[in-house]
Amino acid sequence: MTMLDAHADDEFGEHSHEEILQALMRHLLTAADLDQLCDDADLPQLTHDDGTPVAIDSARTYRDAGVLTLDRGVWLELSDGSVFGLTVQINRRPRDEVTLRRR
């Protein structure tokens, strides 16, 4: 058992990197309106034909959205009917032991 396994909360388990990044993506996508996020990133805003901004209707984890995958990620549904899956995929584990620290 690694230090990561020994110190990870039950909420994050052995996949703490993926779980934390998934939770962070979900939070960022629900913390502000999509048009505000675009403004903050200096990107153009998505708008409907009538000029109203496209909104995030739902941002859920893959598990909460019922997506059949073992990957971690966020299922994003927009008011224009589009749906996106933003996957968190780890390509390399940390070299050193990692622990979780609560703020």
Side-chain angles (χ1 to χ4, degrees):
M1 177 160 49
T2 67
M3 290 296 288
L4 176 63
D5 295 330
H7 294 285
D9 291 343
D10 289 339
E11 177 182 1
F12 297 112
E14 69 180 272
H15 302 283
S16 62
H17 285 78
E18 298 98 322
E19 296 288 341
I20 289 170
L21 290 172
Q22 171 185 260
L24 180 61
M25 280 193 321
R26 185 181 170 283
H27 171 76
L28 289 172
L29 292 168
T30 56
D33 291 332
L34 184 57
D35 59 333
Q36 183 62 50
L37 292 170
C38 289
D39 283 347
D40 292 347
D42 198 25
L43 296 170
Q45 294 179 356
L46 298 170
T47 58
H48 293 281
D49 290 342
D50 64 3
T52 59
V54 171
I56 298 171
D57 283 344
S58 176
R60 298 176 288 162
T61 65
Y62 281 175
R63 182 182 309 170
D64 291 344
V67 177
L68 298 177
T69 182
L70 296 176
D71 293 332
R72 301 320 189 268
V74 176
W75 193 251
L76 193 61
E77 298 175 8
L78 303 181
S79 62
D80 65 358
S82 57
V83 178
F84 297 89
L86 306 175
T87 301
V88 175
Q89 181 180 8
I90 191 161
N91 293 313
R92 182 179 352 172
R93 294 276 175 200
R95 290 183 297 267
D96 300 322
E97 295 177 348
V98 176
T99 59
L100 300 177
R101 177 176 52 109
R102 287 279 179 192
R103 296 198 94 207

